Structures are given as structure tokens and as C-alpha cells.
Amino acid sequence: MPAARPLPAAEIDTALATLPGWSSEDDRLTRLPNHLAAAALVLHIASVQEDMDHHADLTLGYNTVEVATHTHSAGGRITALDVTLARRVEDLSAAHGVRG
């Protein structure tokens, strides 16, 4: 797999415009959804991560799931892999009752 390249800030901003509820903080894309089906959402996200061979940090809390992704091989910066993972998580989120 070729090395991932960090995305310029403008590309990150463009991607975030299409990912409601997501933000860029400390070189990570993050999403804080509501709870209820959070545990099931975490399991589905883990499945997507395995499929992509790209893993985010997932934190399950009361009424929250935090998803934070960046690419270690790109020096911990945001890459296209992170945006793709965020889009896939967003697609799953609606089925779990997550609202923007």
C-alpha cells in the first residue's frame, strides 16, 4: 500500500462541508453522536475499520461515541483514508439513530 499523504487544510475543510457533525481537531477527524445504539455503532465501525485496514480511536461513553481518526503512516495527519472512513461511519450513523 503506498504511503498516504496528509491533506492540505483546504481539502479537509471541503470534506468536512459534506460531513455534518464532524470536525477537525488536533490533526484528527472527530464525530460525537448521541447514544442509544452507540454500542452497536461501535461494533459496526470496527467492522468497517477491519475492511479498510484503517483504524480510528473509538471511545464509548454514556450517551456518546467519539470517533477520532488520523493516519499514523502520514505522521498522524489527516489523509484521504480518514475522510473515507468518516464517510463510511456517517453512512452507518443514520441507521443507528444518530442525528447531526
Side-chain angles (χ1 to χ4, degrees), residues 1-83:
M1 178 181 271
R5 74 169 176 82
L7 293 178
E11 284 186 49
I12 294 169
D13 291 342
T14 298
L16 287 172
T18 65
L19 291 164
W22 287 81
S23 63
S24 173
E25 300 170 16
D26 299 323
D27 278 322
R28 292 173 183 251
L29 295 180
T30 60
R31 172 84 155 96
L32 296 169
N34 296 337
H35 191 69
L36 203 45
L41 178 58
V42 167
L43 181 61
H44 283 132
I45 293 169
S47 177
V48 166
Q49 291 177 134
E50 286 297 308
D51 181 52
M52 290 181 64
D53 192 29
H54 186 64
H55 300 83
D57 295 327
L58 303 175
T59 304
L60 176 61
Y62 180 72
N63 287 339
T64 64
V65 172
E66 180 178 4
V67 180
T69 183
H70 63 172
T71 303
H72 296 283
S73 64
R77 304 281 307 277
I78 297 169
T79 68
L81 280 171
D82 303 299
V83 173

